[in-house]
Amino acid sequence: MNKKTYGYLIGLFAVLFVAMGIVQLFRLDYPHRLIPSEKTKVRSFETTNTKTTEAKGEALRVYLLQNDSDLSKGVIQNFSYALKYAKIDYQRIRTSDIKTLDPSERTVLVLSGEHTKEWPYKTIRKFVRKGGKLYVAGRFIDPKWGDLVGVKRFGDFKENVKGMTFKKDLFPGYIDLSKSSTLFVHSIADVTLQNADVKIEAEGNPILWTHEYGKGEVLFWNTSSLLEKNSRGLLVQSLSLLFPTFVSQQVAIKLAHFDDFPAPVPDASNPAIQKNYDLTVKDFFADVWLRDMQRIAKEQDIIYSGFIIGSYRNAIDDMEEQLIENIRFPMLNFGRRLLKMGGELGLHGYNHQPLVINGETMDPSLGYTTWDDRSQMMKGIEEVKVAHQYFFPKEQIRSYVPPSNIIGPTGLSVLNEAFPDGLIIASLYNGDASKGSYIQEFEPDATYKNLYNFPRITSGYNESPEDMFVLADAVANFGLVSHFIHPDDVLDEQRSKGQGWPKMERSIEKMFQTIHTDYPYLESMTQYDGYKKMKLYQESKIDVRYSKTAIEISGSQMLLPSKMMVRVNDGKIATGSFAYGEVRKLGNADDLYEVELKKNFARIPVLGVSQ
């Protein structure tokens, strides 16, 4: 072998060695680890520290009377949450306190339940006649009360009355529900009204009306359906009809979740995909689905938060190395792209088994496997945390969605310990907890100091009238959209309703477009930013005072800007830009305004007030 040939061989071996080294580097994810994705920027929110100017005028006074029946307790509890979220002060009173109420146009007494015999009729009638407001949150039958509440004749109760037809535009997004809808199944009183202004009907029956009595006014909900969380927006917006002017607060947050994303994805064909695309499932999600969702996000102002699954196996014998291998493709493709879009990656689980052990509640028909014990659960969570950190060392898991929205007390205690810096638990707002579903309010967990409950309100690709109604009601309550979808619904004929991706894409885009059009003031953000804003909103102190010719608003620890709804039943307020912020009409109603406060004091003149 001559020197030239020897040199060629050495060179060839060198090239092969370098090539093998590069392949090995790629196999071990070194390029990704050397150049990790850019760290997600966490938003900061400006607040004011101190109140600079005291608002002058009269405050609203909302008094809630709760009786011992389940109906009364449930409705008043539901109303209390609605008022708390909308930052409207209220006070619970006893029956004996009613005689002390000041019968002014800004004082309302709220009653609920079939307790007319226990309520002091003459005292309440006098209160209304002299100018007080009466809000009856639920139907009853008592002819003695007919004259006061606008009923000429009480018949019997009528059950299974369905639907809802709006005779007045109460809030943008509320749509009529037909009698085939089961979202609201009313138990009502069969009534003939006199001198009543009907706002809502169901199957031709009056459901909500107002009735002037003396100098005051009565609002009557002729239904037993106010126990539902889906009625909280209705409760607040109907309350606003009773006063000359009314201000409620809006947190103004818009969230969208992808459950099971990123997650292991099969490199195989699927009939639901093959109908429209000659692609494997993996290629469909990489080349079509995420591309389309990215376009929708850009055009309809949406930010997505995804929730990682490490494995779809029931067993938990995958070690960290295997978990990393399971999710290498989805994390480096879907996860990186989601973060690049400004999104967030939270946790859905080591696998898709809810964090439940034997003896804790879980619907057996779902076929899930319980965990052996707490230590096994903790081991699984720690391993999936390591896998997440391997791909995204600059990121931190800050939010968690329970698989199938189920979690037990043991699972909550594990998450509390595993995430000492805090963790948002995002489960369900509505639902039945009897089979293990975790139903939440927006609040810190009562037991575990590191956990904060931030439920999701709506879900799915295919919006129905009921979905849009529920979504509108949460915005009407306090300005929140929290919607989640399962990317893999497209693979399932039942969950996709056999529609295929092209139809599902148009449907979800239409839904986000409606939200963007009807509520342009909602801010799109990640789950963690939404939590931060919610906490600041809940901690803010806002004082609203009213006079005949003005509304004055002041506060401390207020978000800047702060968003609020103003309803003006007597007169109007000017729209446009002002020193304190912006005023815009909202929707088609001529009495509803969206106000954006950029300072912690505003004096808003009320024009054209009747004498």
Side-chain angles (χ1 to χ4, degrees):
M1 185 178 295
N2 59 34
K3 286 185 177 177
K4 190 174 180 181
T5 304
Y6 187 72
Y8 279 138
L9 286 174
I10 295 231
L12 180 60
F13 277 121
V15 169
L16 287 172
F17 182 77
V18 170
M20 289 173 63
I22 291 173
V23 169
Q24 185 69 0
L25 287 174
F26 272 96
R27 196 177 74 80
L28 295 175
D29 301 321
Y30 271 98
H32 153 70
R33 302 184 74 182
L34 286 172
I35 314 173
S37 61
E38 190 175 342
K39 185 178 181 180
T40 301
K41 293 178 181 174
V42 176
R43 280 190 58 175
S44 59
F45 297 92
E46 184 183 356
T47 59
T48 60
N49 292 324
T50 56
K51 190 187 292 188
T52 54
T53 307
E54 291 289 339
K56 296 176 183 175
E58 186 181 359
L60 290 186
R61 290 178 289 275
V62 180
Y63 296 105
L64 308 182
L65 177 63
Q66 176 181 305
N67 290 83
D68 291 336
S69 68
D70 290 343
L71 180 62
S72 180
K73 288 178 182 175
V75 171
I76 295 300
Q77 175 78 354
N78 205 33
F79 208 164
S80 300
Y81 268 108
L83 295 171
K84 177 183 168 185
Y85 290 157
K87 301 191 80 68
I88 299 165
D89 289 338
Y90 65 89
Q91 183 179 341
R92 290 186 180 241
I93 61 170
R94 297 168 298 181
T95 302
S96 59
D97 296 325
I98 293 176
K99 62 178 181 293
T100 67
L101 301 184
D102 172 27
S104 86
E105 63 179 2
R106 303 192 195 281
T107 303
V108 61
L109 169 63
V110 179
L111 306 173
S112 185
E114 299 166 7
H115 301 277
T116 53
K117 299 293 187 293
E118 300 172 35
W119 298 331
Y121 173 72
K122 289 183 179 178
T123 304
I124 293 173
R125 185 180 63 181
K126 181 180 177 183
F127 165 77
V128 179
R129 190 173 63 235
K130 288 193 170 185
K133 309 288 184 173
L134 176 62
Y135 187 112
V136 182
R139 53 74 174 128
F140 60 70
I141 292 176
D142 190 335
K144 178 180 175 182
W145 286 65
D147 186 45
L148 173 59
V149 302
V151 175
K152 183 178 182 180
R153 183 193 66 83
F154 277 107
D156 203 350
F157 287 122
K158 290 175 72 173
E159 308 297 330
N160 295 317
V161 176
K162 298 175 184 173
M164 202 168 274
T165 303
F166 287 84
K167 312 302 286 185
K168 172 183 171 53
D169 285 333
L170 198 58
F171 193 82
Y174 278 135
I175 54 178
D176 292 347
L177 299 173
S178 72
K179 63 181 181 181
S180 63
S181 171
T182 57
L183 185 62
F184 291 99
V185 180
H186 310 279
S187 168
I188 69 170
D190 185 12
V191 293
T192 302
L193 301 181
Q194 60 179 357
N195 302 322
D197 182 5
V198 177
K199 313 291 186 185
I200 298 176
E201 292 180 346
E203 297 189 47
N205 299 284
I207 295 295
L208 173 68
W209 67 82
T210 55
H211 168 67
E212 294 182 0
Y213 185 85
K215 295 180 180 179
E217 190 173 14
V218 177
L219 182 144
F220 196 101
W221 274 104
N222 185 27
T223 177
S224 59
S225 293
L226 301 178
L227 293 161
E228 307 295 331
K229 288 183 178 180
N230 296 333
S231 66
R232 288 178 178 177
L234 291 172
L235 287 165
V236 169
Q237 293 303 324
S238 59
L239 177 66
S240 73
L241 301 175
L242 281 175
F243 305 105
T245 48
F246 180 90
V247 178
S248 61
Q249 307 298 317
Q250 296 262 297
V251 68
I253 292 173
K254 182 169 56 175
L255 306 177
H257 285 185
F258 293 157
D259 285 9
D260 299 78
F261 191 86
V265 57
D267 191 14
S269 61
N270 179 288
I273 302 301
Q274 293 289 318
K275 274 198 306 190
N276 303 105
Y277 308 95
D278 184 21
L279 296 170
T280 65
V281 173
K282 185 168 81 172
D283 290 340
F284 165 75
F285 279 110
D287 300 338
V288 178
W289 184 88
L290 191 51
R291 176 202 65 194
D292 292 341
M293 294 306 292
Q294 190 168 0
R295 178 190 61 76
I296 292 170
K298 185 176 181 182
E299 295 178 2
Q300 307 304 336
D301 183 32
I302 296 291
I303 293 176
Y304 304 122
S305 297
F307 294 88
I308 302 163
I309 283 282
S311 167
Y312 277 116
R313 299 177 64 233
N314 292 350
I316 61 152
D317 50 7
D318 284 346
M319 303 301 286
E320 295 159 9
E321 295 78 10
Q322 185 58 48
L323 286 179
I324 289 169
E325 186 61 34
N326 293 346
I327 57 176
R328 172 172 283 109
F329 178 83
M331 291 292 263
L332 294 182
N333 287 271
F334 308 149
R336 273 195 166 226
R337 288 168 68 181
L338 199 64
L339 292 175
K340 194 173 181 181
M341 292 161 60
E344 173 186 345
L345 290 179
L347 180 62
H348 201 30
Y350 169 92
N351 57 15
H352 207 274
Q353 304 304 308
L355 296 178
V356 171
I357 62 172
N358 277 331
E360 295 179 339
T361 305
M362 182 164 61
D363 183 357
S365 70
L366 297 175
Y368 285 126
T369 303
T370 56
W371 294 71
D372 290 345
D373 52 34
R374 189 178 188 280
S375 63
Q376 187 191 43
M377 244 183 229
M378 181 64 81
K379 183 172 180 288
I381 292 296
E382 292 297 340
E383 287 180 350
V384 76
K385 281 173 66 180
V386 171
H388 169 270
Q389 280 296 290
Y390 175 85
F391 291 106
F392 301 110
K394 293 183 178 179
E395 299 297 318
Q396 181 180 351
I397 292 175
R398 296 187 171 99
S399 51
Y400 171 82
V401 168
S404 295
N405 296 297
I406 295 171
I407 190 169
T410 305
L412 291 171
S413 75
V414 164
L415 295 176
N416 183 65
E417 182 179 334
F419 294 92
D421 294 337
L423 189 71
I424 304 152
I425 309 295
S427 188
L428 293 179
Y429 190 48
N430 289 290
D432 179 4
S434 65
K435 293 186 177 179
S437 292
Y438 190 47
I439 311 302
Q440 305 172 293
E441 297 289 348
F442 298 89
E443 58 193 7
D445 188 276
T447 304
Y448 303 107
K449 65 177 183 178
N450 298 329
L451 307 182
Y452 183 91
N453 293 314
F454 200 120
R456 290 95 60 82
I457 295 171
T458 51
S459 65
Y461 287 101
N462 304 299
E463 82 283 5
S464 65
E466 288 78 12
D467 293 332
M468 298 309 293
F469 192 102
V470 171
L471 187 149
D473 191 77
V475 180
N477 185 180
F478 69 122
L480 180 76
V481 169
S482 179
H483 185 80
F484 73 97
I485 61 175
H486 291 96
D488 62 355
D489 277 1
V490 69
L491 306 178
D492 187 287
E493 283 291 314
Q494 185 176 1
R495 286 189 284 154
S496 69
K497 301 177 183 175
Q499 293 195 357
W501 176 240
K503 282 188 178 178
M504 295 171 77
E505 178 198 1
R506 288 195 293 275
S507 181
I508 191 69
E509 180 171 16
K510 183 181 174 187
M511 182 179 192
F512 286 139
Q513 188 176 38
T514 300
I515 295 169
H516 191 39
T517 302
D518 285 355
Y519 318 114
Y521 61 94
L522 300 184
E523 292 185 276
S524 185
M525 58 188 70
T526 65
Q527 176 60 75
Y528 182 64
D529 287 340
Y531 153 78
K532 286 183 64 181
K533 189 177 186 191
M534 178 70 79
K535 284 271 290 176
L536 293 170
Y537 171 81
Q538 291 177 328
E539 291 165 3
S540 65
K541 296 178 175 59
I542 300 174
D543 187 20
V544 182
R545 301 287 171 140
Y546 304 85
S547 65
K548 199 167 185 64
T549 56
I551 302 167
E552 293 198 2
I553 305 168
S554 66
S556 60
Q557 298 174 267
M558 283 176 65
L559 282 161
L560 292 181
S562 279
K563 307 291 178 71
M564 48 200 72
M565 290 293 115
V566 177
R567 189 180 298 278
V568 181
N569 295 307
D570 186 6
K572 62 181 181 180
I573 60 176
T575 57
S577 298
F578 304 92
Y580 59 79
E582 307 276 338
V583 179
R584 309 175 190 93
K585 292 291 291 289
L586 187 70
N588 297 322
D590 58 4
D591 55 358
L592 196 59
Y593 303 82
E594 176 234 327
V595 175
E596 180 181 75
L597 254 60
K598 297 176 180 175
K599 296 184 177 179
N600 65 344
F601 177 78
R603 187 177 194 280
I604 305 174
V606 181
L607 312 172
V609 179
S610 61
Q611 298 301 313

